[in-house]
Amino acid sequence: MNFKLELLKKELELELKHDEKNKAILAQQYDKAATIRDEEKTITLAIDEIICQVEKMFNETILTAENYKQQKEYSKLLMRYNVETENIILKEKIIASIKYYNQIRTIELSNKNKTLYINLGLEIECLKTYFKDCFSL
């Protein structure tokens, strides 16, 4: 599902309903305005549901170099609807992923799995680069 596209469609639909409701109020068609208000609430609930789906996808996905762009887009959508000034969600996810990979890397070193140890090191370096690019350390 293209969450961004779905959200844009719902926002447009909500804006059109809002305009329609205002016209009904100006025309003193209060019953029609009340019906449209209920339709606005339904659209708002649909937007909230999409945001919940995005949040679930974001929270349940371990951050990797391969899915970084998708996770970044999810975090932007979440920040947009939570009205934050800095993308704290992505920042926290990158930090948590680096810690997680470091823990696994330590275990793999003791297990003498050099290939996985090296690959995790590369993944960590990639995430650190994303972090520096996004948050100017």
Side-chain angles (χ1 to χ4, degrees):
M1 173 186 250
N2 186 336
F3 293 114
K4 189 174 184 178
L5 181 61
E6 289 301 313
L7 285 166
L8 288 172
K9 286 178 183 177
K10 290 295 179 188
E11 286 177 357
L12 178 60
E13 190 178 341
L14 185 61
E15 189 175 319
L16 292 171
K17 288 293 177 184
H18 184 72
D19 291 345
E20 186 180 348
K21 180 182 75 177
N22 287 340
K23 288 177 185 175
I25 291 170
L26 289 173
Q28 296 182 353
Q29 297 173 335
Y30 300 116
D31 290 337
K32 182 178 180 180
T35 301
I36 296 169
R37 180 199 62 222
D38 294 341
E39 292 170 359
E40 283 178 320
K41 287 180 184 178
T42 302
I43 296 167
T44 301
L45 289 173
I47 289 171
D48 291 345
E49 178 60 34
I50 293 170
I51 292 301
C52 284
Q53 289 175 9
V54 171
E55 189 171 18
K56 182 178 179 190
M57 292 288 289
F58 183 81
N59 289 334
E60 292 178 355
T61 304
I62 295 173
L63 185 62
T64 64
E66 289 81 30
N67 68 15
Y68 174 77
K69 288 182 182 179
Q70 179 187 45
Q71 292 293 295
K72 186 176 180 180
E73 286 303 311
Y74 288 167
S75 70
K76 285 179 183 179
L77 287 173
L78 293 171
M79 296 310 293
R80 179 174 178 209
Y81 285 90
N82 291 325
V83 194
E84 295 285 339
T85 56
E86 184 182 276
N87 198 335
I88 297 168
I89 295 172
L90 183 61
K91 186 176 186 177
E92 290 174 354
K93 184 155 190 149
I94 292 173
I95 291 169
S97 295
I98 290 171
K99 287 178 183 177
Y100 172 73
Y101 288 137
N102 271 324
Q103 289 172 348
I104 293 177
R105 195 167 186 235
T106 303
I107 292 168
E108 292 308 319
L109 180 61
S110 66
N111 291 338
K112 297 181 180 162
N113 187 342
K114 288 188 178 186
T115 304
L116 187 55
Y117 178 82
I118 291 168
N119 288 340
L120 288 169
L122 294 172
E123 194 73 38
I124 290 167
E125 288 307 311
C126 185
L127 291 171
K128 285 180 179 179
T129 301
Y130 290 148
F131 190 87
K132 288 176 187 173
D133 290 346
C134 289
F135 305 106
S136 307
L137 282 178

